[in-house]
Amino acid sequence: MSRQPATSVIHFLPGLFEIQNRISTCATEIMGLLKDLFTYFAPPGQANRFPNVRFVDLKELDVVSAPNFEAFYPAFSKHAGERGATRLLLNIDASGQVVGVKVAKGSGFARLDQAAVKLGQHFVFSGYHHNGQACPIQTSIEVEFRA
């Protein structure tokens, strides 16, 4: 029985990284769907903290503090040439703090999507007022990573 040289394994590594990335992306999307199902079917009081949240366009909000996008770009992704845009949904409480982040549309790279979620958690907005009352809101933002 002849054995193939160990160097032939190296040819499979790029394919294995691609498979791992796709599995990770699928797992992230499945977790998002499960959270949506829990929110829909959960007993009252256990679902979304803000059941009647108003969606507000990002242009209407005052950003108090925005994170440095470059600081969240994963080094491995940058080195590997991974780039893409992740659309996030941000849940923001009445004081302007981000209390929840969800991937609305992935970049195709789970590592970038995870970095975008971490970045989204670091935004701070001024409180949003509707009819003179501070209220929780939801907005979307696109995070683009370019190598």
Side-chain angles (χ1 to χ4, degrees), residues 54-68:
R54 169 183 294 274
F55 185 87
V56 177
D57 191 285
L58 185 64
K59 295 174 193 167
E60 297 179 43
L61 300 176
D62 293 324
V63 178
V64 173
S65 174
N68 176 358

Side-chain angles (χ1 to χ4, degrees), residues 82-147:
E82 296 175 352
R83 59 181 182 261
T86 303
R87 177 148 302 275
L88 300 174
L89 285 175
L90 305 179
N91 283 328
I92 303 165
D93 68 12
S95 70
Q97 299 296 312
V98 174
V99 295
V101 181
K102 178 181 171 185
V103 174
K105 183 175 184 245
S107 65
F109 296 98
R111 203 174 0 260
L112 294 182
D113 295 342
Q114 291 166 357
V117 168
K118 287 178 185 174
L119 181 141
Q121 294 167 342
H122 286 80
F123 274 91
V124 178
F125 299 89
S126 61
Y128 182 80
H129 292 78
H130 179 69
N131 293 334
Q133 292 282 339
C135 61
I137 58 168
Q138 189 176 70
T139 193
S140 69
I141 186 169
E142 188 167 285
V143 176
E144 187 172 353
F145 292 109
R146 289 180 250 157

Side-chain angles (χ1 to χ4, degrees), residues 7-70:
T7 56
S8 65
V9 172
I10 294 173
H11 298 292
F12 292 107
L13 287 180
L16 290 175
F17 286 126
E18 176 70 321
I19 290 169
Q20 180 220 5
N21 202 17
R22 287 184 183 186
I23 289 171
S24 184
T25 300
C26 289
T28 301
E29 291 175 8
I30 289 170
M31 290 304 294
L33 291 172
L34 289 174
K35 285 179 187 175
D36 289 346
L37 284 172
F38 176 77
T39 300
Y40 186 77
F41 291 108
Q46 292 184 14
N48 188 347
R49 286 175 49 186
F50 310 123
N52 299 315
V53 176
R54 169 183 294 274
F55 185 87
V56 177
D57 191 285
L58 185 64
K59 295 174 193 167
E60 297 179 43
L61 300 176
D62 293 324
V63 178
V64 173
S65 174
N68 176 358
F69 282 42
E70 190 65 26

